[in-house]
mmCIF file of all heavy atoms in Angstrom:
data_model
loop_
_atom_site.group_PDB
_atom_site.id
_atom_site.type_symbol
_atom_site.label_atom_id
_atom_site.label_comp_id
_atom_site.label_asym_id
_atom_site.label_seq_id
_atom_site.Cartn_x
_atom_site.Cartn_y
_atom_site.Cartn_z
ATOM 1 N N PHE A 303 4.121 -28.154 17.743
ATOM 2 C CA PHE A 303 5.506 -28.347 17.306
ATOM 3 C C PHE A 303 5.582 -28.214 15.797
ATOM 4 O O PHE A 303 4.829 -28.856 15.064
ATOM 5 C CB PHE A 303 5.999 -29.727 17.737
ATOM 6 C CG PHE A 303 7.433 -29.998 17.376
ATOM 7 C CD1 PHE A 303 8.450 -29.241 17.922
ATOM 8 C CD2 PHE A 303 7.757 -31.011 16.477
ATOM 9 C CE1 PHE A 303 9.779 -29.490 17.598
ATOM 10 C CE2 PHE A 303 9.077 -31.265 16.151
ATOM 11 C CZ PHE A 303 10.096 -30.501 16.711
ATOM 12 N N ARG A 304 6.483 -27.348 15.295
ATOM 13 C CA ARG A 304 6.605 -27.104 13.858
ATOM 14 C C ARG A 304 8.025 -27.335 13.367
ATOM 15 O O ARG A 304 8.461 -26.706 12.406
ATOM 16 C CB ARG A 304 6.140 -25.689 13.531
ATOM 17 C CG ARG A 304 4.663 -25.483 13.865
ATOM 18 C CD ARG A 304 4.093 -24.261 13.234
ATOM 19 N NE ARG A 304 2.651 -24.265 13.296
ATOM 20 C CZ ARG A 304 1.879 -23.316 12.764
ATOM 21 N NH1 ARG A 304 2.430 -22.298 12.131
ATOM 22 N NH2 ARG A 304 0.571 -23.393 12.856
ATOM 23 N N GLY A 305 8.716 -28.242 14.024
ATOM 24 C CA GLY A 305 10.069 -28.558 13.590
ATOM 25 C C GLY A 305 11.079 -27.602 14.183
ATOM 26 O O GLY A 305 11.606 -27.817 15.271
ATOM 27 N N ALA A 306 11.361 -26.518 13.475
ATOM 28 C CA ALA A 306 12.355 -25.553 13.945
ATOM 29 C C ALA A 306 11.827 -24.680 15.077
ATOM 30 O O ALA A 306 12.603 -24.020 15.770
ATOM 31 C CB ALA A 306 12.820 -24.673 12.790
ATOM 32 N N GLU A 307 10.498 -24.671 15.264
ATOM 33 C CA GLU A 307 9.938 -23.782 16.279
ATOM 34 C C GLU A 307 8.663 -24.373 16.870
ATOM 35 O O GLU A 307 8.065 -25.306 16.318
ATOM 36 C CB GLU A 307 9.634 -22.407 15.661
ATOM 37 C CG GLU A 307 8.621 -22.474 14.549
ATOM 38 C CD GLU A 307 8.576 -21.214 13.700
ATOM 39 O OE1 GLU A 307 9.430 -20.316 13.900
ATOM 40 O OE2 GLU A 307 7.700 -21.139 12.826
ATOM 41 N N PHE A 308 8.262 -23.817 17.994
ATOM 42 C CA PHE A 308 6.946 -24.072 18.584
ATOM 43 C C PHE A 308 6.070 -22.852 18.328
ATOM 44 O O PHE A 308 6.543 -21.706 18.372
ATOM 45 C CB PHE A 308 7.043 -24.283 20.097
ATOM 46 C CG PHE A 308 7.432 -25.670 20.506
ATOM 47 C CD1 PHE A 308 8.711 -25.938 20.977
ATOM 48 C CD2 PHE A 308 6.510 -26.718 20.435
ATOM 49 C CE1 PHE A 308 9.073 -27.220 21.381
ATOM 50 C CE2 PHE A 308 6.865 -27.991 20.843
ATOM 51 C CZ PHE A 308 8.140 -28.250 21.303
ATOM 52 N N LEU A 309 4.798 -23.113 18.097
ATOM 53 C CA LEU A 309 3.811 -22.050 18.136
ATOM 54 C C LEU A 309 3.047 -22.226 19.442
ATOM 55 O O LEU A 309 2.342 -23.219 19.639
ATOM 56 C CB LEU A 309 2.850 -22.127 16.940
ATOM 57 C CG LEU A 309 1.689 -21.125 16.972
ATOM 58 C CD1 LEU A 309 2.204 -19.693 16.896
ATOM 59 C CD2 LEU A 309 0.703 -21.401 15.838
ATOM 60 N N TYR A 310 3.223 -21.271 20.341
ATOM 61 C CA TYR A 310 2.561 -21.317 21.639
ATOM 62 C C TYR A 310 1.336 -20.402 21.646
ATOM 63 O O TYR A 310 1.392 -19.273 21.136
ATOM 64 C CB TYR A 310 3.504 -20.856 22.755
ATOM 65 C CG TYR A 310 4.613 -21.815 23.087
ATOM 66 C CD1 TYR A 310 5.937 -21.514 22.800
ATOM 67 C CD2 TYR A 310 4.329 -23.027 23.717
ATOM 68 C CE1 TYR A 310 6.962 -22.390 23.126
ATOM 69 C CE2 TYR A 310 5.355 -23.907 24.041
ATOM 70 C CZ TYR A 310 6.662 -23.597 23.734
ATOM 71 O OH TYR A 310 7.663 -24.469 24.053
ATOM 72 N N LYS A 311 0.256 -20.878 22.238
ATOM 73 C CA LYS A 311 -0.861 -20.014 22.604
ATOM 74 C C LYS A 311 -0.718 -19.710 24.078
ATOM 75 O O LYS A 311 -0.682 -20.622 24.913
ATOM 76 C CB LYS A 311 -2.207 -20.687 22.318
ATOM 77 C CG LYS A 311 -3.414 -19.818 22.656
ATOM 78 C CD LYS A 311 -4.718 -20.546 22.339
ATOM 79 C CE LYS A 311 -5.922 -19.686 22.685
ATOM 80 N NZ LYS A 311 -7.201 -20.414 22.416
ATOM 81 N N LEU A 312 -0.603 -18.424 24.395
ATOM 82 C CA LEU A 312 -0.292 -18.003 25.755
ATOM 83 C C LEU A 312 -1.445 -17.211 26.364
ATOM 84 O O LEU A 312 -2.079 -16.393 25.666
ATOM 85 C CB LEU A 312 0.966 -17.128 25.754
ATOM 86 C CG LEU A 312 2.218 -17.723 25.110
ATOM 87 C CD1 LEU A 312 3.329 -16.691 25.091
ATOM 88 C CD2 LEU A 312 2.667 -18.986 25.845
ATOM 89 N N ARG A 313 -1.697 -17.443 27.639
ATOM 90 C CA ARG A 313 -2.720 -16.683 28.346
ATOM 91 C C ARG A 313 -2.029 -15.632 29.212
ATOM 92 O O ARG A 313 -1.220 -15.957 30.084
ATOM 93 C CB ARG A 313 -3.599 -17.602 29.191
ATOM 94 C CG ARG A 313 -4.734 -16.858 29.924
ATOM 95 C CD ARG A 313 -5.808 -17.784 30.420
ATOM 96 N NE ARG A 313 -6.477 -18.462 29.325
ATOM 97 C CZ ARG A 313 -7.474 -17.936 28.587
ATOM 98 N NH1 ARG A 313 -7.876 -16.695 28.832
ATOM 99 N NH2 ARG A 313 -8.029 -18.632 27.628
ATOM 100 N N LEU A 314 -2.372 -14.356 28.950
ATOM 101 C CA LEU A 314 -1.822 -13.249 29.726
ATOM 102 C C LEU A 314 -2.531 -13.135 31.074
ATOM 103 O O LEU A 314 -3.578 -13.759 31.295
ATOM 104 C CB LEU A 314 -1.956 -11.943 28.943
ATOM 105 C CG LEU A 314 -1.326 -11.929 27.535
ATOM 106 C CD1 LEU A 314 -1.684 -10.643 26.812
ATOM 107 C CD2 LEU A 314 0.187 -12.095 27.620
ATOM 108 N N GLN A 315 -1.991 -12.326 31.956
ATOM 109 C CA GLN A 315 -2.579 -12.167 33.287
ATOM 110 C C GLN A 315 -3.999 -11.612 33.230
ATOM 111 O O GLN A 315 -4.823 -11.882 34.105
ATOM 112 C CB GLN A 315 -1.680 -11.274 34.143
ATOM 113 C CG GLN A 315 -0.341 -11.915 34.474
ATOM 114 C CD GLN A 315 0.528 -11.031 35.351
ATOM 115 O OE1 GLN A 315 0.106 -9.955 35.769
ATOM 116 N NE2 GLN A 315 1.751 -11.480 35.627
ATOM 117 N N SER A 316 -4.303 -10.853 32.168
ATOM 118 C CA SER A 316 -5.646 -10.285 32.007
ATOM 119 C C SER A 316 -6.660 -11.329 31.563
ATOM 120 O O SER A 316 -7.861 -11.089 31.606
ATOM 121 C CB SER A 316 -5.607 -9.171 30.960
ATOM 122 O OG SER A 316 -5.276 -9.723 29.686
ATOM 123 N N GLY A 317 -6.162 -12.477 31.111
ATOM 124 C CA GLY A 317 -7.041 -13.498 30.539
ATOM 125 C C GLY A 317 -7.034 -13.499 29.033
ATOM 126 O O GLY A 317 -7.512 -14.456 28.403
ATOM 127 N N ASN A 318 -6.521 -12.431 28.399
ATOM 128 C CA ASN A 318 -6.400 -12.398 26.939
ATOM 129 C C ASN A 318 -5.338 -13.393 26.480
ATOM 130 O O ASN A 318 -4.396 -13.703 27.227
ATOM 131 C CB ASN A 318 -6.013 -10.992 26.462
ATOM 132 C CG ASN A 318 -7.105 -9.976 26.740
ATOM 133 O OD1 ASN A 318 -8.273 -10.242 26.492
ATOM 134 N ND2 ASN A 318 -6.719 -8.809 27.259
ATOM 135 N N THR A 319 -5.491 -13.884 25.263
ATOM 136 C CA THR A 319 -4.519 -14.834 24.720
ATOM 137 C C THR A 319 -3.789 -14.235 23.527
ATOM 138 O O THR A 319 -4.344 -13.421 22.785
ATOM 139 C CB THR A 319 -5.194 -16.150 24.299
ATOM 140 O OG1 THR A 319 -6.190 -15.880 23.293
ATOM 141 C CG2 THR A 319 -5.829 -16.855 25.482
ATOM 142 N N VAL A 320 -2.536 -14.644 23.365
ATOM 143 C CA VAL A 320 -1.714 -14.241 22.230
ATOM 144 C C VAL A 320 -0.954 -15.462 21.732
ATOM 145 O O VAL A 320 -0.857 -16.479 22.419
ATOM 146 C CB VAL A 320 -0.713 -13.118 22.613
ATOM 147 C CG1 VAL A 320 -1.436 -11.825 22.930
ATOM 148 C CG2 VAL A 320 0.172 -13.558 23.768
ATOM 149 N N LEU A 321 -0.432 -15.352 20.516
ATOM 150 C CA LEU A 321 0.375 -16.410 19.930
ATOM 151 C C LEU A 321 1.836 -15.984 19.924
ATOM 152 O O LEU A 321 2.152 -14.800 19.763
ATOM 153 C CB LEU A 321 -0.088 -16.709 18.501
ATOM 154 C CG LEU A 321 -1.536 -17.190 18.361
ATOM 155 C CD1 LEU A 321 -1.924 -17.285 16.885
ATOM 156 C CD2 LEU A 321 -1.729 -18.532 19.043
ATOM 157 N N CYS A 322 2.714 -16.961 20.068
ATOM 158 C CA CYS A 322 4.145 -16.672 20.194
ATOM 159 C C CYS A 322 4.941 -17.778 19.516
ATOM 160 O O CYS A 322 4.656 -18.965 19.713
ATOM 161 C CB CYS A 322 4.508 -16.582 21.676
ATOM 162 S SG CYS A 322 6.277 -16.637 22.053
ATOM 163 N N TYR A 323 5.909 -17.401 18.692
ATOM 164 C CA TYR A 323 6.863 -18.365 18.149
ATOM 165 C C TYR A 323 8.081 -18.439 19.076
ATOM 166 O O TYR A 323 8.550 -17.417 19.577
ATOM 167 C CB TYR A 323 7.351 -17.941 16.762
ATOM 168 C CG TYR A 323 6.362 -18.138 15.654
ATOM 169 C CD1 TYR A 323 6.100 -17.117 14.738
ATOM 170 C CD2 TYR A 323 5.692 -19.354 15.490
ATOM 171 C CE1 TYR A 323 5.194 -17.290 13.700
ATOM 172 C CE2 TYR A 323 4.786 -19.538 14.456
ATOM 173 C CZ TYR A 323 4.546 -18.505 13.567
ATOM 174 O OH TYR A 323 3.651 -18.677 12.545
ATOM 175 N N ALA A 324 8.581 -19.646 19.287
ATOM 176 C CA ALA A 324 9.806 -19.827 20.069
ATOM 177 C C ALA A 324 10.627 -20.943 19.432
ATOM 178 O O ALA A 324 10.062 -21.907 18.906
ATOM 179 C CB ALA A 324 9.471 -20.172 21.513
ATOM 180 N N PRO A 325 11.962 -20.842 19.440
ATOM 181 C CA PRO A 325 12.787 -21.933 18.906
ATOM 182 C C PRO A 325 12.431 -23.260 19.570
ATOM 183 O O PRO A 325 12.083 -23.298 20.754
ATOM 184 C CB PRO A 325 14.218 -21.496 19.262
ATOM 185 C CG PRO A 325 14.135 -20.014 19.414
ATOM 186 C CD PRO A 325 12.773 -19.727 19.958
ATOM 187 N N SER A 326 12.506 -24.343 18.801
ATOM 188 C CA SER A 326 11.980 -25.621 19.290
ATOM 189 C C SER A 326 12.769 -26.201 20.460
ATOM 190 O O SER A 326 12.276 -27.103 21.146
ATOM 191 C CB SER A 326 11.929 -26.639 18.151
ATOM 192 O OG SER A 326 13.217 -26.876 17.634
ATOM 193 N N HIS A 327 13.981 -25.693 20.737
ATOM 194 C CA HIS A 327 14.681 -26.182 21.926
ATOM 195 C C HIS A 327 14.124 -25.549 23.207
ATOM 196 O O HIS A 327 14.488 -25.962 24.302
ATOM 197 C CB HIS A 327 16.196 -25.947 21.815
ATOM 198 C CG HIS A 327 16.597 -24.527 21.599
ATOM 199 N ND1 HIS A 327 16.709 -23.983 20.334
ATOM 200 C CD2 HIS A 327 16.911 -23.538 22.469
ATOM 201 C CE1 HIS A 327 17.084 -22.716 20.442
ATOM 202 N NE2 HIS A 327 17.205 -22.429 21.724
ATOM 203 N N HIS A 328 13.237 -24.549 23.047
ATOM 204 C CA HIS A 328 12.508 -24.001 24.201
ATOM 205 C C HIS A 328 11.205 -24.787 24.328
ATOM 206 O O HIS A 328 10.142 -24.324 23.939
ATOM 207 C CB HIS A 328 12.218 -22.507 24.002
ATOM 208 C CG HIS A 328 13.431 -21.641 24.106
ATOM 209 N ND1 HIS A 328 13.880 -21.117 25.305
ATOM 210 C CD2 HIS A 328 14.297 -21.209 23.167
ATOM 211 C CE1 HIS A 328 14.969 -20.391 25.100
ATOM 212 N NE2 HIS A 328 15.248 -20.434 23.809
ATOM 213 N N ASN A 329 11.315 -25.980 24.899
ATOM 214 C CA ASN A 329 10.173 -26.898 24.959
ATOM 215 C C ASN A 329 9.469 -26.757 26.311
ATOM 216 O O ASN A 329 9.795 -27.434 27.278
ATOM 217 C CB ASN A 329 10.649 -28.340 24.741
ATOM 218 C CG ASN A 329 9.504 -29.312 24.657
ATOM 219 O OD1 ASN A 329 8.338 -28.916 24.586
ATOM 220 N ND2 ASN A 329 9.813 -30.596 24.677
ATOM 221 N N HIS A 330 8.478 -25.844 26.353
ATOM 222 C CA HIS A 330 7.770 -25.573 27.597
ATOM 223 C C HIS A 330 6.488 -26.397 27.668
ATOM 224 O O HIS A 330 5.890 -26.752 26.650
ATOM 225 C CB HIS A 330 7.456 -24.081 27.720
ATOM 226 C CG HIS A 330 8.682 -23.229 27.785
ATOM 227 N ND1 HIS A 330 9.443 -23.099 28.917
ATOM 228 C CD2 HIS A 330 9.292 -22.464 26.835
ATOM 229 C CE1 HIS A 330 10.452 -22.282 28.692
ATOM 230 N NE2 HIS A 330 10.389 -21.891 27.430
ATOM 231 N N GLN A 331 6.049 -26.667 28.885
ATOM 232 C CA GLN A 331 4.895 -27.533 29.112
ATOM 233 C C GLN A 331 3.617 -26.705 29.270
ATOM 234 O O GLN A 331 3.648 -25.529 29.632
ATOM 235 C CB GLN A 331 5.121 -28.387 30.367
ATOM 236 C CG GLN A 331 6.396 -29.225 30.324
ATOM 237 C CD GLN A 331 6.485 -30.073 29.067
ATOM 238 O OE1 GLN A 331 5.543 -30.809 28.742
ATOM 239 N NE2 GLN A 331 7.606 -29.985 28.369
ATOM 240 N N ILE A 332 2.494 -27.365 28.986
ATOM 241 C CA ILE A 332 1.197 -26.725 29.190
ATOM 242 C C ILE A 332 1.070 -26.295 30.660
ATOM 243 O O ILE A 332 1.368 -27.070 31.577
ATOM 244 C CB ILE A 332 0.051 -27.689 28.819
ATOM 245 C CG1 ILE A 332 0.179 -28.178 27.369
ATOM 246 C CG2 ILE A 332 -1.307 -27.017 29.044
ATOM 247 C CD1 ILE A 332 0.046 -27.109 26.332
ATOM 248 N N GLY A 333 0.633 -25.051 30.876
ATOM 249 C CA GLY A 333 0.485 -24.519 32.228
ATOM 250 C C GLY A 333 1.726 -23.860 32.775
ATOM 251 O O GLY A 333 1.681 -23.235 33.843
ATOM 252 N N GLU A 334 2.852 -23.977 32.080
ATOM 253 C CA GLU A 334 4.109 -23.384 32.548
ATOM 254 C C GLU A 334 4.157 -21.900 32.196
ATOM 255 O O GLU A 334 3.790 -21.504 31.089
ATOM 256 C CB GLU A 334 5.278 -24.117 31.893
ATOM 257 C CG GLU A 334 6.648 -23.621 32.333
ATOM 258 C CD GLU A 334 7.777 -24.371 31.633
ATOM 259 O OE1 GLU A 334 7.507 -25.421 31.013
ATOM 260 O OE2 GLU A 334 8.929 -23.897 31.699
ATOM 261 N N PRO A 335 4.607 -21.021 33.095
ATOM 262 C CA PRO A 335 4.785 -19.608 32.748
ATOM 263 C C PRO A 335 6.091 -19.400 31.983
ATOM 264 O O PRO A 335 7.116 -20.005 32.324
ATOM 265 C CB PRO A 335 4.837 -18.913 34.117
ATOM 266 C CG PRO A 335 5.351 -19.958 35.054
ATOM 267 C CD PRO A 335 4.877 -21.288 34.524
ATOM 268 N N ILE A 336 6.050 -18.572 30.962
ATOM 269 C CA ILE A 336 7.273 -18.237 30.222
ATOM 270 C C ILE A 336 7.351 -16.725 30.050
ATOM 271 O O ILE A 336 6.333 -16.026 30.052
ATOM 272 C CB ILE A 336 7.342 -18.930 28.836
ATOM 273 C CG1 ILE A 336 6.237 -18.428 27.903
ATOM 274 C CG2 ILE A 336 7.270 -20.433 28.985
ATOM 275 C CD1 ILE A 336 6.397 -18.941 26.472
ATOM 276 N N GLY A 337 8.572 -16.223 29.921
ATOM 277 C CA GLY A 337 8.776 -14.790 29.742
ATOM 278 C C GLY A 337 8.608 -14.388 28.288
ATOM 279 O O GLY A 337 9.053 -15.092 27.365
#
Side-chain angles (χ1 to χ4, degrees):
F303 182 64
R304 297 195 166 183
E307 61 195 6
F308 278 105
L309 174 64
Y310 289 111
K311 181 180 180 182
L312 305 175
R313 182 164 297 278
L314 304 173
Q315 293 181 3
S316 65
N318 294 315
T319 60
V320 292
L321 299 173
C322 166
Y323 285 132
S326 61
H327 57 271
H328 289 272
N329 186 9
H330 297 283
Q331 304 307 308
I332 303 296
E334 182 181 347
I336 65 172

